[in-house]
Amino acid sequence: MEAITEDSTMAGNTLRVGLYLRVSTSGQTPENQRIDLERVAGQRGWQIVETYIDHGISGSKGRDKRPAFDKLSRDAGQGKLDIVAAWSIDRIGRSLGHLVQFMDELRQQGVGIYLHQQQVDTSTAAGRAFLQMAGVFAEFERAIIVERINAGLQRARAHGKQLGRPPVGVKVEARIRRL
């Protein structure tokens, strides 16, 4: 499938969009998300294929724990969607790893993404550039975290700290002594 671009809609091709709505608790409603995304779809001439809603599910949960998100992902992979629209990036997920993986899958499938609150639209050159820059910074952030962890481990070793779990025999021996 070709990459989605602004020219797709100008050439008369109507983009097929899947709207993804998520709320973390069953007491919340996704109606504000729906209203905003349906308005955007109408303004841009997108055809809403389906609205995928996960009620009362945390964004930190993986795809296997979010049935609507899983269906959205499968539909995108099967070529049923040209673009995925969500109200905000945190509606898609709260785990950086899950977000990067999902966005990479969409890119490989030629499916665009629109994030309303962040005004990211990968059907535009600016949106694609922004998402690529975000990916660079996410990778940089991960590298910094790894460096900090390794520095902390080296410091702990230098101070004689025993790292990892104690051997099984040590725990048993300590319990016996306490008795």
Side-chain angles (χ1 to χ4, degrees):
M1 182 182 286
E2 320 178 354
I4 303 304
T5 65
E6 283 178 292
D7 297 338
S8 300
T9 53
M10 287 189 252
N13 299 335
T14 300
L15 295 179
R16 300 164 300 157
V17 64
L19 306 181
Y20 181 67
L21 315 177
R22 184 185 63 76
V23 289
S24 300
T25 66
S26 56
Q28 296 172 315
T29 176
E31 275 313 298
N32 287 339
Q33 296 174 43
R34 179 193 311 269
I35 290 167
D36 282 349
L37 293 175
E38 286 178 350
R39 181 181 44 76
V40 168
Q43 289 171 343
R44 294 176 180 229
W46 295 341
Q47 174 196 351
I48 298 173
V49 172
E50 189 167 340
T51 300
Y52 305 82
I53 306 172
D54 280 320
H55 286 276
I57 301 175
S58 169
S60 65
K61 302 284 185 198
R63 187 177 296 178
D64 60 328
K65 303 279 193 248
R66 295 194 281 157
F69 186 69
D70 183 55
K71 185 173 186 326
L72 168 79
S73 300
R74 285 185 281 118
D75 286 354
Q78 293 170 358
K80 295 178 181 178
L81 304 172
D82 298 312
I83 193 160
V84 168
W87 191 75
S88 178
I89 195 165
D90 66 341
R91 298 299 85 200
I92 291 176
R94 297 223 181 237
S95 159
L96 180 59
H98 292 154
L99 286 167
V100 170
Q101 180 183 2
F102 177 65
M103 290 181 183
D104 191 48
E105 287 173 13
L106 291 181
R107 183 189 55 75
Q108 289 176 18
Q109 296 159 352
V111 176
I113 191 161
Y114 172 79
L115 302 171
H116 184 63
Q117 290 298 298
Q118 289 77 27
Q119 292 296 299
V120 172
D121 179 356
T122 62
S123 71
T124 68
R128 286 189 301 276
F130 178 82
L131 201 55
Q132 289 170 353
M133 285 186 287
V136 167
F137 285 109
E139 187 175 328
F140 174 67
E141 179 182 23
R142 175 71 184 133
I144 295 294
I145 290 168
V146 168
E147 286 177 1
R148 285 184 198 143
I149 289 170
N150 288 335
L153 291 172
Q154 287 175 352
R155 185 182 65 249
R157 281 188 199 106
H159 287 88
K161 176 84 173 163
Q162 177 77 26
L163 301 176
R165 291 183 179 180
V168 175
V170 173
K171 283 186 177 181
V172 172
E173 184 179 321
R175 286 183 187 161
I176 291 171
R177 287 183 185 187
R178 278 186 288 202
L179 293 174

